[in-house]
Amino acid sequence: MVALMRPDVAPQGDRSARARQATVVLFACLALVAALSLGTGASGVSLVDLAAGWLRGEAMAARDRVVLFDIRLPRLAMGMLVGAALAVSGALMQGLFRNPLADPGLVGVGAGAGLGAVLAIVLGGLLPAGLAAALGQYLVPAAAFLAGWAATLLLYAVSSRQGRTSVATMLLAGIALGALSGAATGILIYLADDRQLRDLTFWGLGSLGGASWQKIALAAPLILPVLLLSPLLARGLNGLALGEAAALHMGVEVERVKRLAILSVAAATGAAVAVSGGIGFIGIVVPHLLRLASGPDHRYLLPNAALLGAALLVGADMVARLVVAPAELPIGIVTAVLGAPVFLFILLRSRGILDL
Amino acid sequence: MLAASHLTLRIGRRRILDDVDFEARAGAVTAIVGPNGSGKTTLLRALTGEGAAEGRITLNGIDIAAARPARLAAVRAVLPQATPLAFPFLVAEVVRLGQRAGLSAADPGLAERALSAVGLQGLAARPYQELSGGEQQRVQLARVLAQVWQPVGPEGPHWLFLDEPVASLDIAHQLQVMRLARGYADAGGGVVAVMHDLNLTAMFADRVALLAGGRVLAAGRVSEVLTDTHLSQAYGCALRVGVLPAQGPYILPQAAGAA
């Protein structure tokens, strides 16, 4: 990472080779963090011991098998999915709004998705029994997805005039949306019973602690297509960096790119928030670090954001599990503690941002 | 050939363009002039398919309203008055954004050549945001040039649409940019430019459309359009063509390079 951050520049003003190197380095980082994450945990089961046992031809103990395949592996997979989803959503949203400060968590989309989930938790019981049974465990993620999508659309409509998106309006609208969903959540808390209150509290803190293969099966169909297909939007987002008119004249189907980007952000953020609650700063810090390291070209930014987001969140989860073991910190606290200073540092050293 | 007929555009009840006919040929520089608010930029936007004007526009026989953006991008590039840039791109990366939208996308040295053409050689690796306003405007021109680098393509002439290409430039760079446009037209491409500077227009344009109040006041050869009567009427002040001031220094671009 340190080598990647050096702001020196290739002679011809072409950073694509560096961005491709970054992809390789990030892939290696993710593999390393993933291996470390699989090997650490409150149970003390060590990957090295397991590997040694496997090499000696011993069968794995039932307890070790449960720890590895039903606790650590789903948690790792969910951390990678959620981290990648948040980082790619951030990059997409920043490209769409043409602003490096746009982030699904910062501008109210996360809050909208959270409100949808809270609504489903507290009022889900009021649904007709047939419908509730049909939706089953899909109810909460579906509500988070729809509410996140609605919040994204509302935000975009409020802050765009004649093809220009006002950043100030966007941030203020995000604050209003956040306040509104806060108030609505307050009402729901007032209405909730004890069990629902416990669910709600877990939700707000954000955690990978509830990871299970079922939750992954819910989130993956929404997140994976966004991760795999988002590079198709790269050319359009690069064009949009010069404004909508310039993008149009460079052959970009502007309205289609905007619609697909909004849909992708709503799907990925909605699914991530649905399974892991509110986890901040990944969406804003990851794309920013990558732009510093290898430039803003979305052809490389989007896949690299997925890799770095996954690696960072898995790393943060490891910290969350280890600092107060055998208990664990909510991961939202870890990402905020690590992310907020980075964010402030970015604000301090990027003069350009002050002009926005 | 660019042909537009009966263009009308209303904003609210006001007609920004009022039944405008416009023509431009490949191989010529066609200028659009007129006072502030006369509809010059709106006309250029309508001609490039931006904004929904009534009327019919064809470029090389392609119906602008029905064509896909990628089809048009291969044939013509557009330089707006000002271009915001959201992210910290390098100069050469901005130029390559244009290059990749056109037919010369695979040419590895094109960005450098386009930058040289606008007098910015050696700035390729600089962050775009660190350049001055005039330099940024020329980077954008290089981007637009890189998109339609060959003046004539497999399906006919290519086109440059320039909205006040020399507005923020010093006189030397004004001349450089206008010579570039002239050269593009001489090589068979089409150039349509919104101009404020009547001297540069007289120097470099083949044909001129003079707008006033959203209508075409006069259109044709430079000498037919830029007359005392037309200009005085359009700009609302008494103007004389070809008359030197009695006293005081004056600097004309026409005299540049004359010893």
Side-chain angles (χ1 to χ4, degrees), chain A residues 9-10 12-13 15 94 98 238 241-242 245 249-251 253 291 296 299, chain B residues 48 50 68-69 73 76 84 86-88 90 93 96 100-101 112 125 147:
Chain A
V9 153
Q12 297 301 307
R15 292 179 284 189
Q94 286 147 28
R98 298 185 280 287
N238 281 341
L242 294 159
H249 296 318
M250 291 194 289
E253 310 258 1
R291 279 192 210 102
R299 292 177 300 166
Chain B
T48 55
E50 212 184 310
R68 297 171 66 87
R76 62 103 179 89
F87 298 110
L90 304 180
E93 289 172 340
R96 282 196 199 93
R100 283 201 295 271
E112 283 288 331
Q147 187 179 331

PDB file of all heavy atoms in Angstrom, chain A residues 9-10 12-13 15 94 98 238 241-242 245 249-251 253 291 296 299, chain B residues 48 50 68-69 73 76 84 86-88 90 93 96 100-101 112 125 147:
ATOM      1  N   VAL A   9       4.388   9.969 -11.100  1.00  0.00           N
ATOM      2  CA  VAL A   9       3.500   9.862 -12.245  1.00  0.00           C
ATOM      3  C   VAL A   9       4.264   9.310 -13.434  1.00  0.00           C
ATOM      4  O   VAL A   9       5.422   9.669 -13.645  1.00  0.00           O
ATOM      5  CB  VAL A   9       2.935  11.276 -12.534  1.00  0.00           C
ATOM      6  CG1 VAL A   9       2.580  11.419 -13.988  1.00  0.00           C
ATOM      7  CG2 VAL A   9       1.751  11.566 -11.642  1.00  0.00           C
ATOM      8  N   ALA A  10       3.637   8.413 -14.181  1.00  0.00           N
ATOM      9  CA  ALA A  10       4.286   7.842 -15.359  1.00  0.00           C
ATOM     10  C   ALA A  10       4.570   8.947 -16.372  1.00  0.00           C
ATOM     11  O   ALA A  10       3.848   9.925 -16.441  1.00  0.00           O
ATOM     12  CB  ALA A  10       3.384   6.778 -15.972  1.00  0.00           C
ATOM     13  N   GLN A  12       4.249   9.512 -19.580  1.00  0.00           N
ATOM     14  CA  GLN A  12       3.311   9.959 -20.601  1.00  0.00           C
ATOM     15  C   GLN A  12       1.954  10.364 -20.023  1.00  0.00           C
ATOM     16  O   GLN A  12       1.024  10.602 -20.764  1.00  0.00           O
ATOM     17  CB  GLN A  12       3.097   8.849 -21.640  1.00  0.00           C
ATOM     18  CG  GLN A  12       4.358   8.497 -22.403  1.00  0.00           C
ATOM     19  CD  GLN A  12       4.921   9.690 -23.146  1.00  0.00           C
ATOM     20  OE1 GLN A  12       4.225  10.336 -23.910  1.00  0.00           O
ATOM     21  NE2 GLN A  12       6.187  10.021 -22.910  1.00  0.00           N
ATOM     22  N   GLY A  13       1.853  10.452 -18.725  1.00  0.00           N
ATOM     23  CA  GLY A  13       0.563  10.791 -18.141  1.00  0.00           C
ATOM     24  C   GLY A  13      -0.417   9.648 -18.287  1.00  0.00           C
ATOM     25  O   GLY A  13      -1.601   9.855 -18.470  1.00  0.00           O
ATOM     26  N   ARG A  15      -1.622   6.305 -16.264  1.00  0.00           N
ATOM     27  CA  ARG A  15      -1.488   5.550 -15.025  1.00  0.00           C
ATOM     28  C   ARG A  15      -2.157   4.187 -15.103  1.00  0.00           C
ATOM     29  O   ARG A  15      -2.352   3.531 -14.091  1.00  0.00           O
ATOM     30  CB  ARG A  15      -2.090   6.360 -13.866  1.00  0.00           C
ATOM     31  CG  ARG A  15      -1.278   7.611 -13.567  1.00  0.00           C
ATOM     32  CD  ARG A  15      -1.887   8.413 -12.454  1.00  0.00           C
ATOM     33  NE  ARG A  15      -3.062   9.147 -12.908  1.00  0.00           N
ATOM     34  CZ  ARG A  15      -3.701  10.066 -12.171  1.00  0.00           C
ATOM     35  NH1 ARG A  15      -3.295  10.324 -10.953  1.00  0.00           N
ATOM     36  NH2 ARG A  15      -4.748  10.690 -12.647  1.00  0.00           N
ATOM     37  N   GLN A  94     -20.101   8.271  -6.416  1.00  0.00           N
ATOM     38  CA  GLN A  94     -19.238   9.428  -6.626  1.00  0.00           C
ATOM     39  C   GLN A  94     -19.126   9.734  -8.119  1.00  0.00           C
ATOM     40  O   GLN A  94     -19.141  10.900  -8.528  1.00  0.00           O
ATOM     41  CB  GLN A  94     -17.860   9.165  -6.010  1.00  0.00           C
ATOM     42  CG  GLN A  94     -17.904   9.238  -4.493  1.00  0.00           C
ATOM     43  CD  GLN A  94     -16.945   8.287  -3.819  1.00  0.00           C
ATOM     44  OE1 GLN A  94     -15.915   7.942  -4.374  1.00  0.00           O
ATOM     45  NE2 GLN A  94     -17.281   7.867  -2.620  1.00  0.00           N
ATOM     46  N   ARG A  98     -20.580  12.975  -9.763  1.00  0.00           N
ATOM     47  CA  ARG A  98     -19.381  13.721 -10.140  1.00  0.00           C
ATOM     48  C   ARG A  98     -18.784  14.415  -8.934  1.00  0.00           C
ATOM     49  O   ARG A  98     -18.379  15.576  -8.993  1.00  0.00           O
ATOM     50  CB  ARG A  98     -19.707  14.775 -11.199  1.00  0.00           C
ATOM     51  CG  ARG A  98     -20.220  14.194 -12.476  1.00  0.00           C
ATOM     52  CD  ARG A  98     -20.415  15.241 -13.523  1.00  0.00           C
ATOM     53  NE  ARG A  98     -21.641  15.973 -13.370  1.00  0.00           N
ATOM     54  CZ  ARG A  98     -22.836  15.471 -13.643  1.00  0.00           C
ATOM     55  NH1 ARG A  98     -22.929  14.244 -14.074  1.00  0.00           N
ATOM     56  NH2 ARG A  98     -23.905  16.182 -13.506  1.00  0.00           N
ATOM     57  N   ASN A 238     -16.663   7.645 -16.724  1.00  0.00           N
ATOM     58  CA  ASN A 238     -15.533   8.483 -17.129  1.00  0.00           C
ATOM     59  C   ASN A 238     -16.018   9.684 -17.930  1.00  0.00           C
ATOM     60  O   ASN A 238     -15.560  10.808 -17.735  1.00  0.00           O
ATOM     61  CB  ASN A 238     -14.545   7.674 -17.968  1.00  0.00           C
ATOM     62  CG  ASN A 238     -13.658   6.784 -17.118  1.00  0.00           C
ATOM     63  OD1 ASN A 238     -13.529   7.007 -15.916  1.00  0.00           O
ATOM     64  ND2 ASN A 238     -13.058   5.788 -17.732  1.00  0.00           N
ATOM     65  N   ALA A 241     -17.622  12.387 -15.855  1.00  0.00           N
ATOM     66  CA  ALA A 241     -16.699  13.247 -15.099  1.00  0.00           C
ATOM     67  C   ALA A 241     -16.551  14.601 -15.770  1.00  0.00           C
ATOM     68  O   ALA A 241     -16.212  15.584 -15.122  1.00  0.00           O
ATOM     69  CB  ALA A 241     -15.341  12.563 -14.960  1.00  0.00           C
ATOM     70  N   LEU A 242     -16.801  14.674 -17.088  1.00  0.00           N
ATOM     71  CA  LEU A 242     -16.724  15.940 -17.814  1.00  0.00           C
ATOM     72  C   LEU A 242     -18.086  16.609 -17.937  1.00  0.00           C
ATOM     73  O   LEU A 242     -18.239  17.576 -18.679  1.00  0.00           O
ATOM     74  CB  LEU A 242     -16.150  15.698 -19.215  1.00  0.00           C
ATOM     75  CG  LEU A 242     -14.698  15.237 -19.266  1.00  0.00           C
ATOM     76  CD1 LEU A 242     -14.394  14.563 -20.586  1.00  0.00           C
ATOM     77  CD2 LEU A 242     -13.780  16.424 -19.066  1.00  0.00           C
ATOM     78  N   ALA A 245     -23.363  16.769 -20.734  1.00  0.00           N
ATOM     79  CA  ALA A 245     -23.358  17.129 -22.146  1.00  0.00           C
ATOM     80  C   ALA A 245     -22.123  16.544 -22.825  1.00  0.00           C
ATOM     81  O   ALA A 245     -22.221  15.925 -23.890  1.00  0.00           O
ATOM     82  CB  ALA A 245     -23.386  18.641 -22.310  1.00  0.00           C
ATOM     83  N   HIS A 249     -21.829  13.802 -25.917  1.00  0.00           N
ATOM     84  CA  HIS A 249     -21.107  14.035 -27.169  1.00  0.00           C
ATOM     85  C   HIS A 249     -19.969  13.048 -27.367  1.00  0.00           C
ATOM     86  O   HIS A 249     -19.437  12.924 -28.464  1.00  0.00           O
ATOM     87  CB  HIS A 249     -20.581  15.464 -27.212  1.00  0.00           C
ATOM     88  CG  HIS A 249     -21.685  16.478 -27.218  1.00  0.00           C
ATOM     89  ND1 HIS A 249     -22.822  16.320 -27.972  1.00  0.00           N
ATOM     90  CD2 HIS A 249     -21.846  17.641 -26.551  1.00  0.00           C
ATOM     91  CE1 HIS A 249     -23.626  17.342 -27.778  1.00  0.00           C
ATOM     92  NE2 HIS A 249     -23.070  18.161 -26.913  1.00  0.00           N
ATOM     93  N   MET A 250     -19.560  12.381 -26.280  1.00  0.00           N
ATOM     94  CA  MET A 250     -18.554  11.331 -26.433  1.00  0.00           C
ATOM     95  C   MET A 250     -19.204   9.964 -26.625  1.00  0.00           C
ATOM     96  O   MET A 250     -18.547   8.932 -26.509  1.00  0.00           O
ATOM     97  CB  MET A 250     -17.612  11.325 -25.232  1.00  0.00           C
ATOM     98  CG  MET A 250     -16.716  12.555 -25.209  1.00  0.00           C
ATOM     99  SD  MET A 250     -15.327  12.424 -24.080  1.00  0.00           S
ATOM    100  CE  MET A 250     -16.142  12.515 -22.525  1.00  0.00           C
ATOM    101  N   GLY A 251     -20.504   9.958 -26.888  1.00  0.00           N
ATOM    102  CA  GLY A 251     -21.169   8.716 -27.250  1.00  0.00           C
ATOM    103  C   GLY A 251     -21.754   7.926 -26.095  1.00  0.00           C
ATOM    104  O   GLY A 251     -22.118   6.766 -26.268  1.00  0.00           O
ATOM    105  N   GLU A 253     -24.593   6.822 -23.507  1.00  0.00           N
ATOM    106  CA  GLU A 253     -26.051   6.870 -23.313  1.00  0.00           C
ATOM    107  C   GLU A 253     -26.297   7.315 -21.881  1.00  0.00           C
ATOM    108  O   GLU A 253     -26.444   6.493 -20.969  1.00  0.00           O
ATOM    109  CB  GLU A 253     -26.663   5.482 -23.554  1.00  0.00           C
ATOM    110  CG  GLU A 253     -26.231   4.824 -24.852  1.00  0.00           C
ATOM    111  CD  GLU A 253     -27.302   4.933 -25.919  1.00  0.00           C
ATOM    112  OE1 GLU A 253     -28.357   5.530 -25.635  1.00  0.00           O
ATOM    113  OE2 GLU A 253     -27.074   4.432 -27.030  1.00  0.00           O
ATOM    114  N   ARG A 291      -7.947   6.551  -6.001  1.00  0.00           N
ATOM    115  CA  ARG A 291      -7.727   7.668  -6.929  1.00  0.00           C
ATOM    116  C   ARG A 291      -6.365   8.293  -6.679  1.00  0.00           C
ATOM    117  O   ARG A 291      -5.673   8.689  -7.611  1.00  0.00           O
ATOM    118  CB  ARG A 291      -8.827   8.717  -6.781  1.00  0.00           C
ATOM    119  CG  ARG A 291     -10.079   8.356  -7.527  1.00  0.00           C
ATOM    120  CD  ARG A 291     -11.038   9.528  -7.598  1.00  0.00           C
ATOM    121  NE  ARG A 291     -12.394   9.007  -7.642  1.00  0.00           N
ATOM    122  CZ  ARG A 291     -13.211   8.969  -6.620  1.00  0.00           C
ATOM    123  NH1 ARG A 291     -12.826   9.471  -5.454  1.00  0.00           N
ATOM    124  NH2 ARG A 291     -14.390   8.444  -6.734  1.00  0.00           N
ATOM    125  N   PRO A 296      -8.291   8.337 -11.370  1.00  0.00           N
ATOM    126  CA  PRO A 296      -9.738   8.183 -11.254  1.00  0.00           C
ATOM    127  C   PRO A 296     -10.410   7.374 -12.373  1.00  0.00           C
ATOM    128  O   PRO A 296     -11.630   7.323 -12.408  1.00  0.00           O
ATOM    129  CB  PRO A 296     -10.237   9.637 -11.278  1.00  0.00           C
ATOM    130  CG  PRO A 296      -9.181  10.399 -11.988  1.00  0.00           C
ATOM    131  CD  PRO A 296      -7.898   9.629 -11.933  1.00  0.00           C
ATOM    132  N   ARG A 299     -12.450   2.395 -15.172  1.00  0.00           N
ATOM    133  CA  ARG A 299     -12.201   1.029 -15.665  1.00  0.00           C
ATOM    134  C   ARG A 299     -11.370   0.235 -14.664  1.00  0.00           C
ATOM    135  O   ARG A 299     -11.489  -0.982 -14.566  1.00  0.00           O
ATOM    136  CB  ARG A 299     -11.468   1.081 -17.006  1.00  0.00           C
ATOM    137  CG  ARG A 299     -12.309   1.645 -18.130  1.00  0.00           C
ATOM    138  CD  ARG A 299     -11.503   1.729 -19.399  1.00  0.00           C
ATOM    139  NE  ARG A 299     -10.342   2.590 -19.218  1.00  0.00           N
ATOM    140  CZ  ARG A 299      -9.325   2.642 -20.067  1.00  0.00           C
ATOM    141  NH1 ARG A 299      -9.319   1.876 -21.136  1.00  0.00           N
ATOM    142  NH2 ARG A 299      -8.316   3.461 -19.854  1.00  0.00           N
TER     143      ARG A 299
ATOM    144  N   THR B  48     -26.090  19.994 -32.070  1.00  0.00           N
ATOM    145  CA  THR B  48     -25.364  18.803 -31.631  1.00  0.00           C
ATOM    146  C   THR B  48     -26.286  17.806 -30.937  1.00  0.00           C
ATOM    147  O   THR B  48     -25.822  16.827 -30.362  1.00  0.00           O
ATOM    148  CB  THR B  48     -24.230  19.174 -30.656  1.00  0.00           C
ATOM    149  OG1 THR B  48     -24.771  19.930 -29.575  1.00  0.00           O
ATOM    150  CG2 THR B  48     -23.174  19.999 -31.349  1.00  0.00           C
ATOM    151  N   GLU B  50     -28.264  18.354 -28.340  1.00  0.00           N
ATOM    152  CA  GLU B  50     -28.430  18.595 -26.913  1.00  0.00           C
ATOM    153  C   GLU B  50     -29.654  19.493 -26.765  1.00  0.00           C
ATOM    154  O   GLU B  50     -29.746  20.509 -27.436  1.00  0.00           O
ATOM    155  CB  GLU B  50     -27.190  19.348 -26.434  1.00  0.00           C
ATOM    156  CG  GLU B  50     -26.744  19.084 -25.046  1.00  0.00           C
ATOM    157  CD  GLU B  50     -25.579  19.999 -24.724  1.00  0.00           C
ATOM    158  OE1 GLU B  50     -24.614  20.060 -25.513  1.00  0.00           O
ATOM    159  OE2 GLU B  50     -25.652  20.662 -23.714  1.00  0.00           O
ATOM    160  N   ARG B  68     -28.058   7.220 -32.389  1.00  0.00           N
ATOM    161  CA  ARG B  68     -27.489   6.880 -31.088  1.00  0.00           C
ATOM    162  C   ARG B  68     -26.264   7.744 -30.820  1.00  0.00           C
ATOM    163  O   ARG B  68     -25.545   8.102 -31.752  1.00  0.00           O
ATOM    164  CB  ARG B  68     -27.096   5.403 -31.060  1.00  0.00           C
ATOM    165  CG  ARG B  68     -28.268   4.455 -31.215  1.00  0.00           C
ATOM    166  CD  ARG B  68     -27.771   3.031 -31.399  1.00  0.00           C
ATOM    167  NE  ARG B  68     -27.109   2.567 -30.187  1.00  0.00           N
ATOM    168  CZ  ARG B  68     -27.750   1.993 -29.172  1.00  0.00           C
ATOM    169  NH1 ARG B  68     -29.049   1.821 -29.242  1.00  0.00           N
ATOM    170  NH2 ARG B  68     -27.106   1.602 -28.103  1.00  0.00           N
ATOM    171  N   PRO B  69     -26.017   8.075 -29.534  1.00  0.00           N
ATOM    172  CA  PRO B  69     -24.873   8.939 -29.217  1.00  0.00           C
ATOM    173  C   PRO B  69     -23.553   8.411 -29.768  1.00  0.00           C
ATOM    174  O   PRO B  69     -22.728   9.187 -30.265  1.00  0.00           O
ATOM    175  CB  PRO B  69     -24.862   8.950 -27.682  1.00  0.00           C
ATOM    176  CG  PRO B  69     -26.256   8.657 -27.282  1.00  0.00           C
ATOM    177  CD  PRO B  69     -26.817   7.756 -28.344  1.00  0.00           C
ATOM    178  N   ALA B  73     -20.891  10.341 -32.049  1.00  0.00           N
ATOM    179  CA  ALA B  73     -19.566  10.608 -31.470  1.00  0.00           C
ATOM    180  C   ALA B  73     -18.448  10.215 -32.433  1.00  0.00           C
ATOM    181  O   ALA B  73     -17.358  10.768 -32.378  1.00  0.00           O
ATOM    182  CB  ALA B  73     -19.406   9.857 -30.146  1.00  0.00           C
ATOM    183  N   ARG B  76     -18.629  13.477 -35.038  1.00  0.00           N
ATOM    184  CA  ARG B  76     -18.407  14.861 -34.647  1.00  0.00           C
ATOM    185  C   ARG B  76     -18.077  14.970 -33.166  1.00  0.00           C
ATOM    186  O   ARG B  76     -18.496  14.165 -32.350  1.00  0.00           O
ATOM    187  CB  ARG B  76     -19.652  15.705 -34.958  1.00  0.00           C
ATOM    188  CG  ARG B  76     -20.905  15.287 -34.201  1.00  0.00           C
ATOM    189  CD  ARG B  76     -21.211  16.206 -33.067  1.00  0.00           C
ATOM    190  NE  ARG B  76     -22.436  15.794 -32.365  1.00  0.00           N
ATOM    191  CZ  ARG B  76     -22.441  14.947 -31.363  1.00  0.00           C
ATOM    192  NH1 ARG B  76     -21.328  14.390 -30.973  1.00  0.00           N
ATOM    193  NH2 ARG B  76     -23.571  14.628 -30.746  1.00  0.00           N
ATOM    194  N   PRO B  84     -16.555  21.335 -16.603  1.00  0.00           N
ATOM    195  CA  PRO B  84     -16.142  21.000 -15.237  1.00  0.00           C
ATOM    196  C   PRO B  84     -15.495  19.618 -15.250  1.00  0.00           C
ATOM    197  O   PRO B  84     -15.843  18.773 -16.071  1.00  0.00           O
ATOM    198  CB  PRO B  84     -17.468  20.955 -14.487  1.00  0.00           C
ATOM    199  CG  PRO B  84     -18.472  20.542 -15.519  1.00  0.00           C
ATOM    200  CD  PRO B  84     -17.986  21.100 -16.833  1.00  0.00           C
ATOM    201  N   ALA B  86     -14.618  16.483 -12.603  1.00  0.00           N
ATOM    202  CA  ALA B  86     -14.938  16.096 -11.237  1.00  0.00           C
ATOM    203  C   ALA B  86     -13.756  15.482 -10.495  1.00  0.00           C
ATOM    204  O   ALA B  86     -13.619  15.670  -9.304  1.00  0.00           O
ATOM    205  CB  ALA B  86     -16.112  15.128 -11.255  1.00  0.00           C
ATOM    206  N   PHE B  87     -12.908  14.738 -11.180  1.00  0.00           N
ATOM    207  CA  PHE B  87     -11.913  13.936 -10.476  1.00  0.00           C
ATOM    208  C   PHE B  87     -10.494  14.318 -10.913  1.00  0.00           C
ATOM    209  O   PHE B  87     -10.315  14.921 -11.964  1.00  0.00           O
ATOM    210  CB  PHE B  87     -12.175  12.450 -10.717  1.00  0.00           C
ATOM    211  CG  PHE B  87     -13.508  12.006 -10.206  1.00  0.00           C
ATOM    212  CD1 PHE B  87     -14.518  11.661 -11.076  1.00  0.00           C
ATOM    213  CD2 PHE B  87     -13.765  11.981  -8.847  1.00  0.00           C
ATOM    214  CE1 PHE B  87     -15.763  11.271 -10.597  1.00  0.00           C
ATOM    215  CE2 PHE B  87     -14.995  11.597  -8.366  1.00  0.00           C
ATOM    216  CZ  PHE B  87     -15.994  11.241  -9.232  1.00  0.00           C
ATOM    217  N   PRO B  88      -9.491  13.961 -10.125  1.00  0.00           N
ATOM    218  CA  PRO B  88      -8.118  14.391 -10.417  1.00  0.00           C
ATOM    219  C   PRO B  88      -7.473  13.641 -11.583  1.00  0.00           C
ATOM    220  O   PRO B  88      -6.534  12.883 -11.397  1.00  0.00           O
ATOM    221  CB  PRO B  88      -7.374  14.121  -9.100  1.00  0.00           C
ATOM    222  CG  PRO B  88      -8.130  13.006  -8.468  1.00  0.00           C
ATOM    223  CD  PRO B  88      -9.562  13.227  -8.841  1.00  0.00           C
ATOM    224  N   LEU B  90      -5.179  13.329 -15.011  1.00  0.00           N
ATOM    225  CA  LEU B  90      -4.024  13.990 -15.603  1.00  0.00           C
ATOM    226  C   LEU B  90      -4.425  14.518 -16.973  1.00  0.00           C
ATOM    227  O   LEU B  90      -5.400  14.063 -17.569  1.00  0.00           O
ATOM    228  CB  LEU B  90      -2.851  13.008 -15.740  1.00  0.00           C
ATOM    229  CG  LEU B  90      -2.400  12.315 -14.452  1.00  0.00           C
ATOM    230  CD1 LEU B  90      -1.242  11.368 -14.745  1.00  0.00           C
ATOM    231  CD2 LEU B  90      -2.009  13.336 -13.402  1.00  0.00           C
ATOM    232  N   GLU B  93      -4.812  11.969 -19.632  1.00  0.00           N
ATOM    233  CA  GLU B  93      -5.974  11.100 -19.400  1.00  0.00           C
ATOM    234  C   GLU B  93      -7.255  11.769 -19.897  1.00  0.00           C
ATOM    235  O   GLU B  93      -8.150  11.099 -20.428  1.00  0.00           O
ATOM    236  CB  GLU B  93      -6.089  10.766 -17.898  1.00  0.00           C
ATOM    237  CG  GLU B  93      -4.991   9.817 -17.414  1.00  0.00           C
ATOM    238  CD  GLU B  93      -4.977   9.626 -15.909  1.00  0.00           C
ATOM    239  OE1 GLU B  93      -5.534  10.470 -15.172  1.00  0.00           O
ATOM    240  OE2 GLU B  93      -4.388   8.638 -15.454  1.00  0.00           O
ATOM    241  N   ARG B  96      -7.288  11.386 -23.590  1.00  0.00           N
ATOM    242  CA  ARG B  96      -7.607  10.003 -23.988  1.00  0.00           C
ATOM    243  C   ARG B  96      -9.089   9.684 -23.803  1.00  0.00           C
ATOM    244  O   ARG B  96      -9.609   8.809 -24.500  1.00  0.00           O
ATOM    245  CB  ARG B  96      -6.765   9.008 -23.190  1.00  0.00           C
ATOM    246  CG  ARG B  96      -5.351   8.923 -23.732  1.00  0.00           C
ATOM    247  CD  ARG B  96      -4.599   7.706 -23.239  1.00  0.00           C
ATOM    248  NE  ARG B  96      -3.178   7.958 -23.424  1.00  0.00           N
ATOM    249  CZ  ARG B  96      -2.395   8.477 -22.484  1.00  0.00           C
ATOM    250  NH1 ARG B  96      -2.882   8.721 -21.286  1.00  0.00           N
ATOM    251  NH2 ARG B  96      -1.137   8.731 -22.733  1.00  0.00           N
ATOM    252  N   ARG B 100     -10.818   7.828 -26.925  1.00  0.00           N
ATOM    253  CA  ARG B 100     -11.475   6.521 -26.872  1.00  0.00           C
ATOM    254  C   ARG B 100     -12.897   6.577 -27.398  1.00  0.00           C
ATOM    255  O   ARG B 100     -13.499   5.547 -27.689  1.00  0.00           O
ATOM    256  CB  ARG B 100     -11.459   5.981 -25.439  1.00  0.00           C
ATOM    257  CG  ARG B 100     -10.107   5.409 -25.024  1.00  0.00           C
ATOM    258  CD  ARG B 100     -10.241   4.456 -23.844  1.00  0.00           C
ATOM    259  NE  ARG B 100     -10.689   5.141 -22.649  1.00  0.00           N
ATOM    260  CZ  ARG B 100      -9.868   5.714 -21.770  1.00  0.00           C
ATOM    261  NH1 ARG B 100      -8.578   5.660 -21.943  1.00  0.00           N
ATOM    262  NH2 ARG B 100     -10.351   6.324 -20.715  1.00  0.00           N
ATOM    263  N   ALA B 101     -13.480   7.810 -27.487  1.00  0.00           N
ATOM    264  CA  ALA B 101     -14.846   7.930 -27.986  1.00  0.00           C
ATOM    265  C   ALA B 101     -14.900   7.962 -29.506  1.00  0.00           C
ATOM    266  O   ALA B 101     -15.968   7.866 -30.094  1.00  0.00           O
ATOM    267  CB  ALA B 101     -15.500   9.193 -27.414  1.00  0.00           C
ATOM    268  N   GLU B 112      -0.504  12.709 -27.266  1.00  0.00           N
ATOM    269  CA  GLU B 112       0.646  13.616 -27.321  1.00  0.00           C
ATOM    270  C   GLU B 112       0.541  14.569 -28.515  1.00  0.00           C
ATOM    271  O   GLU B 112       0.792  15.767 -28.392  1.00  0.00           O
ATOM    272  CB  GLU B 112       1.943  12.793 -27.454  1.00  0.00           C
ATOM    273  CG  GLU B 112       2.416  12.147 -26.161  1.00  0.00           C
ATOM    274  CD  GLU B 112       2.967  13.178 -25.181  1.00  0.00           C
ATOM    275  OE1 GLU B 112       3.490  14.208 -25.654  1.00  0.00           O
ATOM    276  OE2 GLU B 112       2.870  12.952 -23.960  1.00  0.00           O
ATOM    277  N   ALA B 125       1.615  14.808 -18.337  1.00  0.00           N
ATOM    278  CA  ALA B 125       1.553  14.126 -17.039  1.00  0.00           C
ATOM    279  C   ALA B 125       1.170  15.069 -15.895  1.00  0.00           C
ATOM    280  O   ALA B 125       1.221  14.681 -14.736  1.00  0.00           O
ATOM    281  CB  ALA B 125       2.893  13.458 -16.749  1.00  0.00           C
ATOM    282  N   GLN B 147     -10.880  13.113 -30.522  1.00  0.00           N
ATOM    283  CA  GLN B 147     -12.073  12.301 -30.807  1.00  0.00           C
ATOM    284  C   GLN B 147     -12.322  12.183 -32.306  1.00  0.00           C
ATOM    285  O   GLN B 147     -12.744  11.129 -32.789  1.00  0.00           O
ATOM    286  CB  GLN B 147     -13.293  12.927 -30.098  1.00  0.00           C
ATOM    287  CG  GLN B 147     -14.545  12.070 -30.204  1.00  0.00           C
ATOM    288  CD  GLN B 147     -15.718  12.706 -29.488  1.00  0.00           C
ATOM    289  OE1 GLN B 147     -15.571  13.447 -28.521  1.00  0.00           O
ATOM    290  NE2 GLN B 147     -16.916  12.432 -29.980  1.00  0.00           N
TER     291      GLN B 147
END
